[in-house]
Amino acid sequence: MTTPIPTGGFADANRRQVLYWRLLSRLFDRDEQPSLESASVAVVDDLGLPAALLDPAVSVDTIVQRFPTLAAELRGLLTPTDAEPDATGPDATGPDAIGPRAVGSDSGRDDAEPHDAEPDDAEPDDAEPHDAEPHDAAPHDDGPRADSAYLPGAAEVRRAALVSKVLLNVFATGSGPVSATQLARWQSDAGWFEQALGCEPGELRRQSGGLGGTLAGLEGDLVRRMHLREVLADPALASQLTPSMSLIEQLLRDKANLSGLALANAKALIRRFVDEVAEVLRTQVQQTSVGALDRSVPPKRVFRNLDLDRTIWQNLTNWSPDDERLYVDRLYYRHTARRTTPSRLIVVVDQSGSMVDAMVNCTILASIFAGLPKVDVHLIAYDTRALDLTPWVHDPFEVLLRTQLGGGTDGTAALTLARPKIAEPKNTVLVWISDFYEVNHQAVFDGLQAVHRSGAKVIPVGSVSSSGQQSVNPWFRQRLKDQGTPVISGHIRKLVSELKNFLT
């Protein structure tokens, strides 16, 4: 029989602390602490929550399937209240990135209800007393009950139980081999964690750095611990995999060792991921008009080009106070003709081992810009050798299959391919994506400096690994900054913005 735990005041704070101390204990030590486990069971039981909430082997999906009402509580669970600073979201970093309320503290809650207030979902006066049913009468498989969970202060304890479940399932990844089922379950739990932070499932893991980088790193570790070749050879197991950057990185590294059904399943996963990322990037790019207005071409004198504001302004001297009319003796039209010289975009991507994120994202981005009118896109990948991938730039899937991640880094080979493509420097932009740890660093810098001095726009982009750690050679970073072409963040949104500014 479970002993009821009193609520209110210090008791509620103690119950939260029990749940959070258990969370920390399970994160850093796989062995259970009997006293914390039994106390946590008592707290969860008193809240009317299912005991499975404490079992890290039970996925969040399973909990939600059995108790659908919990789904709404989990979504946005770690987002801050109106009175709290916004410490969550894709760009949040540091220990408070999961939300101020997640640590069980009452600080900063001046807007909370008084302890003598009755919550909206409290029981009505004519409800049955709480002692009408013994605490140990039956399991709680019929869903959370509305009893002490809604007494004053219990809402925060309830929240602590749900927060503990999500964090434990995501961050206690253990060690040893991982099955496809375990990876799929972790990906699903990570999706619930992202929803708790107010993001869409998978959105945070696509971010570079901060909490998103940590999640991507955990996922990458799970993928490396999985016998991927055996999983891909089994259609039933392969169907459980959800494509992610970590998984795609492993597939691209191992594709030379795959054949038959395993290779076909790997290609299907890569294709799915490419399509998903392309959809996200396409919405960021949207429709970009290309080329500057050519004012040497007279505007077409048609109604749709009529510049009404300018026409009125230029004819204000013809205003007749007597007639109260504006007499127009000249119409003004907008210039709409654009220079026909196409803008040339040359994307050079370092395909060494640390550059898989940039390779995937920029390959897809290049294909999107290649689909815009009057943009001539060229794509070059390099390690110690360079490969011109321009013939396949419209199909990022084919590009990725032709890359070979790994090896050294010698950008002089890429410069040899890129320079002849700069026919009209003023209409050319060279995007160079790399960590800039080059074998011939002075020669590569001299080559980029020559391109910059020719009048072409040079956009150096730093590398970002799937673990979210950015690393750029400080020697290059300082010299590129002094040149007036500073290395921009590896985040894809900034690169999209830079390219749109040039092409508009």
Side-chain angles (χ1 to χ4, degrees), residues 24 67 119 124 129 239 396 477 489:
L24 291 174
F67 309 104
S239 65
R477 185 189 289 278
S489 165

Side-chain angles (χ1 to χ4, degrees), residues 154-167:
E156 280 299 301
V157 185
R158 182 184 182 89
R159 182 176 180 277
L162 296 175
V163 167
S164 296
K165 174 62 177 175
V166 175
L167 295 184

